[in-house]
């Protein structure tokens, strides 16, 4: 993390808007391809080529040595799943996380997709995770404390019996991929003192587990994070700009699930 309380001026806000808008256009292009039989490598290739064809830069490729363009986190994978040659199967849930650099500014978002017919339990997990992201966004006003995000997510998630991942969090974003403020998705003491002033840009990206909260990092690839108990995990992410009028979702898609969507 770097640079505390970085506030964007109007011109910088427009640059963030443009970066996030390209990223969401990319998500719209990807969505029809996330279906049974397609490999996550094929989705990765599509995102890579689309990004380059439009003159932009994949943010993840080479980031701290990450080997691919996107993260694809299937079933018990919480985050940072590396695309591979396994075809998506009926009943899978898969999070596709896209980040692009447009003229030096980052757009970052993810969605969890239901592949074919999934179990009622998987569908419910994805629904609750999606709803928790919007509950967090709706809880915010100019000058809100970061802890309001964790409180709103906990209020949606905990009554359902699910757990909120603590080991990975949202982040400030701009010309850096990850910067202050850190955005925990559960209430923490430190988040009481962090203020979301107009001009702050950040992500909210709750990772919600069906079972226990514990995470395991795959030692063989150094990236893939799984639930320790092997149960499912889901995630949704938006890039958000706090403005004088309230939070603005910069990564809204035209075709994707909108607030209130039923999976
Ligand atoms: N897109 C992820 C996030 O939401 C970060 C992925 S970093 C990578 O912050 F190196 F794993 F790609
Ligand atoms: Co992010
Ligand atoms: Co992301």
């Amino acid at each position: 993390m770097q640079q505390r309380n970085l506030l964007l001026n109007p011109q910088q806000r427009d640059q963030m808007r443009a970066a996030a808008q390209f990223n969401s256009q990319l998500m719209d292009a990807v969505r029809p391809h996330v279906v049974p039989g397609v490999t996550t490598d094929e989705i990765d290739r599509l995102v890579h080529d689309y990004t380059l064809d439009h003159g932009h830069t994949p943010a993840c490729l080479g980031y701290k040595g990450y080997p691919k363009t996107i993260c694809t986190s299937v079933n018990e994978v919480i985050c940072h799943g590396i695309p591979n040659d396994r075809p998506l199967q009926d009943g899978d849930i898969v999070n596709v996380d896209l980040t692009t650099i447009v003229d030096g500014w980052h757009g970052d978002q993810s969605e969890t997709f239901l592949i074919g017919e999934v179990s009622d339990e998987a569908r419910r997990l994805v629904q609750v995770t999606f709803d928790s992201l919007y509950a967090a966004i709706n809880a915010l006003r100019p000058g809100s404390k970061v802890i309001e995000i964790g409180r709103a997510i906990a209020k949606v998630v905990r009554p359902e019996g699910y757990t909120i991942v603590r080991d990975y969090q949202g982040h400030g974003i701009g010309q850096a991929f990850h910067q202050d403020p850190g955005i925990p998705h559960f209430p923490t003491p430190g988040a009481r003192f962090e203020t979301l002033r107009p001009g702050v840009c950040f992500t909210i990206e709750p990772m919600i587990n069906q079972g226990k909260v514990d995470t395991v990092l795959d030692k063989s690839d150094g990236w893939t994070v799984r639930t320790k108990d092997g149960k499912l995990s889901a995630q949704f992410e938006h890039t958000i700009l706090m403005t004088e009028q309230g939070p603005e979702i910069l990564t809204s898609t035209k075709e994707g699930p909108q607030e209130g969507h039923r999976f």
Side-chain angles (χ1 to χ4, degrees), residues 97-99 108-109 205 237:
D97 193 337
L98 310 179
T99 315
D108 186 11
Q109 74 196 106
E205 47 183 299
E237 174 176 29

Side-chain angles (χ1 to χ4, degrees), residues 80 97-99 107-110 169-173 177-178 185 202-205 207 235 237-239:
H80 305 164
D97 193 337
L98 310 179
T99 315
D108 186 11
Q109 74 196 106
S110 79
Q169 58 180 14
H171 48 92
I173 185 166
F177 191 167
H178 297 106
H185 300 111
F202 57 98
T203 72
I204 306 179
E205 47 183 299
M207 287 146 272
Q235 181 178 27
E237 174 176 29
H238 273 311
T239 297

Side-chain angles (χ1 to χ4, degrees), residues 111 127-140 152-153 156 204 206 236-238 240 247 249 251-253 256-261 263:
E111 290 178 17
Q127 184 73 56
V128 169
T129 306
F130 182 79
D131 293 346
S132 79
L133 170 58
Y134 281 90
I137 296 168
N138 290 332
L140 297 179
I153 292 170
V156 171
I204 306 179
F236 287 86
E237 174 176 29
H238 273 311
I240 314 277
I249 304 174
T251 42
S252 286
T253 64
Q258 309 293 316
E259 181 177 1
H261 179 83
F263 288 88

Side-chain angles (χ1 to χ4, degrees), residues 7 9 72 79 100 118 161 176 207 216 222 234 245:
L7 300 182
N9 67 32
T72 50
C79 62
T100 313
V118 308
M207 287 146 272
V216 180
Q245 282 73 46

